[in-house]
């Protein structure tokens, strides 16, 4: 095992040296080509900014965050709520969705983001500053699994996620929708990063709500991107991305 680790490190160092030599050759070629024509920009070795890991065959992306925000945006485009409140999800989602739905974004660490159609503020997910059953459209995506693990300076609490779920259920209005995203697979805690849930655990945290839609981003890209109605596949994941749309009847 130690020899394998040493071999991998040596291989990585060799690749880095190869990339550094290539970078130097390409800089010199570019500088020479620039000097042979009227100057448009200064080209100096002191201004170099190596980006040595970007020559990939395809454009990489975070499957969880691209697919789950795309899923949520499509739900909002279809349901068109008069007001949507997001608690701690991706700022990219809040910023983009605010282009077509009035959006409020709250986080324990408020975001200093200013856009038409978007209002940002501070809120604690375990003590939301909203009246009971007052929000018709609500989202909390890739957030719940972190609560109580201390990752973001919050207090350690094994039941922190359950308390947060109770708050989300408390403020959701009659006929309102909750868009929830959490990791799914074999239930366990990856301290102090996140929890991973079974489908039954997620539904059990919202006993007064009805699951209307489930979508999954599977571990293996070969299994697909965003899978609709993939409940049977969820339990086979290690760290799948579960997208739940709950409704209060």
């Amino acid at each position: 095992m130690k020899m394998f680790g040493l071999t991998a490190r040596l291989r990585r160092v060799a690749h880095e040296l190869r990339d550094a030599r290539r970078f130097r050759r390409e800089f010199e070629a570019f500088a020479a080509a620039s000097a042979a024509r009227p100057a448009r920009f200064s080209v100096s070795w002191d201004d170099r900014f190596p980006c040595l890991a970007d020559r990939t065959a395809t454009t990489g992306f975070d499957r969880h965050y691209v697919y789950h925000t795309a899923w949520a945006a499509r739900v909002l485009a279809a349901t068109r709520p008069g007001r949507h409140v997001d608690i701690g999800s991706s700022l990219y989602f809040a910023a983009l969705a605010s282009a077509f739905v009035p959006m409020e974004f709250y986080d324990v660490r408020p975001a200093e983001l200013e856009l038409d159609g978007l209002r940002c503020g501070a809120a604690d997910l375990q003590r939301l500053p909203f009246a009971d059953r007052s929000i018709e459209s609500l989202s909390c995506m890739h957030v719940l699994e972190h609560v109580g693990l201390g990752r973001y300076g919050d207090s350690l609490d094994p039941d922190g996620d359950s308390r947060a779920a109770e708050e989300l259920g408390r403020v959701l209005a009659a006929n309102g929708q909750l868009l929830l995203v959490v990791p799914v697979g074999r239930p366990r805690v990856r301290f102090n990063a996140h929890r991973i849930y079974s489908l039954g655990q997620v539904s059990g945290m919202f006993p007064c709500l009805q699951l209307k839609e489930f979508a999954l981003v599977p571990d293996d890209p070969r299994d697909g991107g965003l899978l609709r109605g993939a409940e049977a596949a969820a339990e086979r994941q290690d760290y799948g991305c579960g997208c739940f749309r709950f409704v209060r009847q």
Side-chain angles (χ1 to χ4, degrees):
M1 182 64 70
K2 290 183 178 179
M3 182 58 70
F4 176 79
L6 177 60
T7 301
R9 288 195 295 273
L10 290 173
R11 187 179 297 115
R12 184 169 61 251
V13 169
H15 288 167
E16 290 172 353
L17 289 172
R18 179 201 64 194
D19 290 343
R21 288 192 294 266
R22 172 180 54 79
F23 175 79
R24 182 72 195 213
R25 290 194 305 270
E26 291 183 349
F27 171 82
E28 291 173 351
F30 184 86
S34 298
R37 64 194 66 198
R40 296 176 57 233
F41 302 97
S42 66
V43 179
S44 168
W45 180 250
D46 291 338
D47 292 327
R48 66 192 182 279
F49 195 137
C51 300
L52 305 182
D54 294 340
R55 295 190 179 189
T56 57
T58 59
T59 299
F61 60 94
D62 186 313
R63 285 169 53 79
H64 278 221
Y65 276 84
V66 171
Y67 280 121
H68 93 250
T69 52
W71 167 79
R74 283 159 172 75
V75 172
L76 293 188
T79 57
R80 290 286 178 171
R83 167 200 182 209
H84 183 80
V85 174
D86 182 88
I87 311 295
S89 305
S90 164
L91 268 177
Y92 291 101
F93 164 72
L96 292 172
S98 69
F100 59 90
V101 171
M103 176 78 64
E104 297 175 20
F105 175 86
Y106 298 91
D107 199 312
V108 68
R109 304 166 302 168
E112 297 180 351
L113 178 62
E114 299 180 6
L115 284 171
D116 293 341
L118 176 64
R119 189 174 77 185
C120 297
D124 183 344
L125 182 49
Q126 297 189 72
R127 290 177 291 276
L128 292 175
F130 308 117
D132 293 357
R133 303 197 179 193
S134 60
I135 299 175
E136 67 165 319
S137 188
L138 180 65
S139 58
C140 186
M141 303 187 299
H142 259 321
V143 177
L144 202 67
E145 67 267 24
H146 305 301
V147 181
L149 299 183
R151 177 173 176 176
Y152 298 107
D154 50 321
S155 300
L156 298 179
D157 183 354
D159 297 319
D161 59 333
S162 296
R163 301 182 205 285
E166 290 176 2
E167 277 292 273
L168 292 170
R170 177 184 67 80
V171 303
L172 188 66
N175 299 314
Q177 65 178 358
L178 167 63
L179 309 184
L180 183 83
V181 173
V182 294
V184 295
R186 177 174 61 85
R188 61 200 188 278
V189 172
R190 303 293 303 276
F191 187 83
N192 72 321
H194 54 256
R195 300 172 181 84
I196 300 173
Y197 301 88
S198 69
L199 295 191
Q201 285 177 316
V202 178
S203 294
M205 288 192 290
F206 300 95
C208 296
L209 307 183
Q210 182 179 1
L211 181 61
K212 283 291 190 179
E213 180 183 347
F214 175 75
L216 172 70
V217 182
D219 293 329
D220 193 336
R222 293 172 297 183
D223 293 332
L226 182 68
L227 308 180
R228 308 276 183 172
E231 288 86 347
E235 309 296 346
R236 299 195 299 270
Q237 306 303 310
D238 178 65
Y239 181 70
C241 181
C243 305
F244 301 78
R245 177 174 176 259
F246 289 103
V247 171
R248 183 188 293 283
Q249 295 298 309

